[in-house]
Amino acid sequence: GMPGHRRILMGFAAGAAAGLALHAAWPSPPPGLAAFLDYVVDPAGRLFLKLLLMAVLPLVVSSLILGVAEMGGAARLGRIAAKTLGFTVLVTALSVLTGLFMVRWLKPGVGFPPEARAAMLQTQRLPAGVAAPSQSETAVQRILALVPDNPVRAAASGDFLAVMVFSLLFGVALLRVEPAKARPLLALMESLFEASMAFIGLIMRLAPLGVGALVLGLTARFGYGLLVHLLGYAAVVVSALALHQFVTYSLLLRLAGRSPLEFFASIQEAMLTAFATSSSSATLPVALRVAESRLGLPRDVSRFVLTVGASANQNGTALYEGVTALFLAQCFGVELTL
C-alpha cells in the first residue's frame, strides 16, 4: 500500500479541507454541527493521542536501558566509542540549537488565535511537567526534581524526564551486573521495546483518521488562521532540518577533509531510503552497505558507529522536538528562557 506518511498527509489534507468548508458555511457552528464536532470528531482525535501517549512509557524505559547497555558493551571499543559519543553529543546539540534559533527568529507560534488556545486547553490538559515552572523554584530544586525517589510515581504522574533519568541510571547499574544475570532483563527489555514499537505501528494505522479528526475539529471552529500557523510551524521544522543537513554537515565534512558534494552523492541511496521510510532502523542495513561499498570505511568501525547512531544519534528528532516545544510555548504564551 501507500507509505504511512503519505496516508497521514492525505488525512491531514482531507480533514483541513472538510473543516475549512464547514467553517466557510457556518462561521459559528449550529447545534447539530457542534454536537457532531463535540461527540464524534474531537473524541476520535483525542483517542488517537491517548493511544499514542499510552505507548510512550514502555518505549522510553526499554529503549533507554537497551541504549545504555549497547553503549556500555561498546565501551570496550574504547577510543572509537568515546569519539562516537562526543560526536553524537556535539552534532545533536548543534541540531537542537539550529531549531531553537529558527523558532526564536521566525516565531511561528506568536499570534496564535486566543480562542483556539482556550479551546485546546479546555479539551487537552497540558501534560504534566509542561506547566510553567514556578519562579520560586531554584535551579538546584529543578535538577533534584529530575531524580525521582519513586520511579513508579514519576511514571504514574507522567513526569517523563524523571522516568528517563531513572532508566539511564538503571541501565548504567545493569552494566555492572555479571552478563549471565543481566541477560534475562535485557531480553525482557528487548521484547518490551519490540512490543512497544509494534503497538505504535498498530496505532499509526489509525493516524490518518486521528490526524484528520484533530485538524477537522480545529479548522471547523477556527478556520484558516489556525492552518497558517501550523504551516508556519512545519516550514520552520523543514528549513531548520535543511540547514542542519546541508550547512552543518557540509562544514563538518570539510573539517574532516572530504568534499560535501562527493559525500552526499555517495550516500544518496541511504538518504533516499531514510526519506521514504522515515525510519532509522529500516535505513540501517542500507547505510551499512553504503558506508562499506561507496565510502570505503573500515567495516568494524562503520558497523559500530552506524548501529549505535541509529538509536543514539537522532539529530532530526532532537531538532523537531525542540522546535515543537518552543512553538507550543509560543502558542500558549509561556516564556521559556534558553
Side-chain angles (χ1 to χ4, degrees):
M2 197 189 295
H5 57 89
R6 202 168 303 161
R7 286 215 311 274
I8 294 172
L9 202 62
M10 286 177 69
F12 182 95
L20 288 175
L22 288 171
H23 186 76
W26 298 286
S28 61
L33 176 58
F36 172 66
L37 292 176
D38 286 341
Y39 298 112
V40 180
V41 176
D42 289 353
R46 296 235 291 285
L47 178 67
F48 168 65
L49 283 180
K50 285 188 105 149
L51 286 169
L52 260 188
L53 281 171
M54 191 201 286
V56 172
L57 185 70
L59 183 72
V60 164
V61 173
S62 58
S63 66
L64 281 175
I65 290 177
L66 286 171
V68 174
E70 270 171 34
M71 276 303 232
R76 293 186 209 104
L77 284 170
R79 226 177 60 242
I80 293 172
K83 280 184 182 170
T84 305
L85 187 60
F87 179 80
T88 298
V89 170
L90 171 77
V91 180
T92 305
L94 287 174
S95 83
V96 175
L97 287 171
T98 307
L100 295 186
F101 166 75
M102 294 288 279
V103 184
R104 272 280 153 93
W105 178 43
L106 296 170
K107 297 194 167 48
V110 170
F112 194 70
E115 63 274 25
R117 181 189 313 162
M120 286 164 107
L121 280 174
Q122 199 189 327
T123 55
Q124 202 65 49
R125 257 181 339 111
L126 275 179
V130 178
S134 58
Q135 292 308 313
S136 59
E137 265 188 68
T138 62
V140 176
Q141 281 168 314
R142 243 175 264 170
I143 291 167
L144 280 176
L146 293 180
V147 183
D149 51 4
N150 183 337
V152 179
R153 191 193 312 134
S157 61
D159 186 353
F160 282 120
L161 268 179
V163 173
M164 286 177 167
V165 172
F166 163 74
S167 306
L168 286 171
L169 293 175
F170 197 82
V172 171
L174 202 55
L175 291 176
R176 307 188 60 99
V177 176
E178 54 188 88
K181 289 187 176 157
R183 209 164 291 131
L185 183 58
L186 285 172
L188 176 70
M189 286 298 146
E190 221 151 293
S191 320
L192 187 61
F193 177 75
E194 292 300 332
S196 305
M197 292 298 276
F199 186 64
I200 289 173
L202 278 174
I203 297 161
M204 287 311 282
R205 291 205 164 154
L206 299 173
L209 289 171
V211 169
L214 287 166
V215 174
L216 195 159
L218 287 169
T219 45
R221 289 197 180 90
F222 311 112
Y224 171 73
L226 188 79
L227 268 188
V228 173
H229 276 279
L230 290 178
L231 289 173
Y233 156 72
V236 169
V237 171
V238 171
S239 47
L241 287 172
L243 257 180
H244 184 66
Q245 165 120 16
F246 296 111
V247 178
T248 311
Y249 279 166
S250 298
L251 288 172
L252 287 167
L253 285 164
R254 270 265 166 266
L255 287 174
R258 291 198 87 127
S259 144
L261 280 175
E262 261 173 42
F263 181 84
F264 285 127
S266 310
I267 65 161
Q268 61 183 350
E269 188 190 351
M271 276 164 60
L272 288 170
T273 310
F275 190 75
T277 60
S278 312
S279 158
S280 305
S281 34
T283 310
L284 184 58
V286 182
L288 287 168
R289 195 176 69 242
V290 166
E292 222 174 310
S293 60
R294 302 293 307 264
L295 297 174
L297 300 173
R299 187 168 166 177
D300 53 341
V301 174
S302 62
R303 179 162 291 183
F304 165 67
V305 173
L306 289 169
T307 306
V308 170
S311 54
N313 190 29
Q314 307 228 354
N315 303 169
T317 305
L319 181 150
Y320 156 74
E321 286 176 359
V323 169
T324 306
L326 262 193
F327 168 71
L328 288 172
Q330 282 177 2
C331 290
F332 288 104
V334 178
E335 186 53 48
L336 292 176
T337 59
L338 191 59

